Amino acid sequence: MTLPIFSPLEARVLGVLIEKEKTVPDSYPLSTNTLTLGCNQKTARDPVMAATENEVQLAIDALKSHALIVESSGGRVMRYAHNARRVFQLPEQSVSLLAVLMLRGAQTAGELRINAERLHPFADISSVEAFLEELAEADTPWVVKLPKLPGSREHRWAHLLCGAVDEEAFKIASSAAPQSVDLGEVAALKANVARLNDEVAGLRAMVEKIQSELGM
């Protein structure tokens, strides 16, 4: 299939919907307000954004034009769900990996396995790599394996939903970032913080849903 080229915010909106379907099912589909909060999370996001509700609504409308978002009315508020698996015609494992790449930027297969745990648990890193290779070798590639950075033992992967990756810019940004001694441990801690944030977001969305249904 021919892939649309998304803006970074459109990719973030789609990634959030895929993520929250799994992590906060009781408050899914999401309102524009909850979706905006998910886009602007300070943790489990790279880069961190500061999108407004109007900007998120424009991104929603753009994704709807590709049938990637469906809307439903919940009380007085419109709610949105993704339709990525059907439109992309990809298995859940591949969609989960794409979502994590859209949310967190380029990552190694090991980081992806940890960060995708709540969306789809992979048995081992080799299974993650198998799905990544399949996505990279598609007629129209979904992801790309980036060259190893100096001092790095593993390749990182990036999605192509926002167009080709500027590898030189990626190298510069990565070299400027502080390096971790134990990336696996840091990724696990970040995943735990993200889980706690999702629980808070889920409770907030449930209160919003109840208030909407009560007409408050």
Side-chain angles (χ1 to χ4, degrees):
M1 65 175 293
T2 302
L3 297 179
I5 301 299
F6 299 132
S7 71
L9 181 55
E10 289 165 5
R12 175 64 56 85
V13 166
L14 184 58
V16 169
L17 287 172
I18 296 169
E19 176 192 61
K20 301 304 184 186
E21 178 189 29
K22 299 291 187 179
T23 59
V24 288
D26 291 342
S27 56
Y28 187 85
L30 305 182
S31 66
T32 305
N33 176 261
T34 305
L35 187 47
T36 302
L37 292 173
C39 289
N40 294 338
Q41 278 182 210
K42 298 296 190 294
T43 58
R45 301 290 184 263
D46 186 13
V48 173
M49 293 184 172
T52 66
E53 282 196 35
N54 285 338
E55 290 170 336
V56 169
Q57 188 62 57
L58 289 173
I60 290 171
D61 293 340
L63 291 167
K64 281 170 59 181
S65 70
H66 297 291
L68 280 162
I69 286 184
V70 293
E71 63 181 19
S72 59
S73 58
R76 298 180 301 168
V77 180
M78 293 302 300
R79 295 184 175 276
Y80 303 95
H82 78 89
N83 195 31
R85 285 184 291 273
R86 178 175 296 179
V87 173
F88 289 165
Q89 298 179 16
L90 292 172
E92 181 177 329
Q93 295 95 322
S94 298
V95 173
S96 297
L97 292 173
L98 285 173
V100 176
L101 289 171
M102 286 188 277
L103 294 173
R104 296 171 178 252
Q107 297 155 80
T108 66
E111 290 168 334
L112 282 166
R113 185 192 175 204
I114 292 172
N115 293 332
E117 177 68 25
R118 294 172 303 148
L119 307 188
H120 183 89
F122 289 88
D124 48 40
I125 293 177
S126 63
S127 62
V128 174
E129 291 174 334
F131 279 100
L132 289 170
E133 294 287 355
E134 189 174 89
L135 288 168
E137 294 169 5
D139 291 339
T140 303
W142 299 83
V143 301
V144 61
K145 180 190 283 189
L146 299 171
K148 286 184 182 179
L149 295 172
S152 176
R153 293 179 298 175
E154 298 181 67
H155 290 276
R156 281 177 167 75
W157 294 80
H159 73 83
L160 296 173
L161 291 168
C162 294
V165 176
D166 186 336
E167 294 183 4
E168 286 303 315
F170 168 72
K171 289 179 183 178
I172 293 171
S174 298
S175 63
Q179 297 300 308
S180 169
V181 174
D182 189 338
L183 291 177
E185 182 178 349
V186 171
L189 289 171
K190 287 182 177 179
N192 192 45
V193 171
R195 178 182 59 78
L196 295 173
N197 281 338
D198 278 331
E199 290 179 3
V200 173
L203 291 172
R204 182 182 293 156
M206 286 178 65
V207 170
E208 181 186 86
K209 197 171 185 179
I210 292 169
Q211 289 177 328
S212 176
E213 291 172 352
L214 294 176
M216 298 173 62

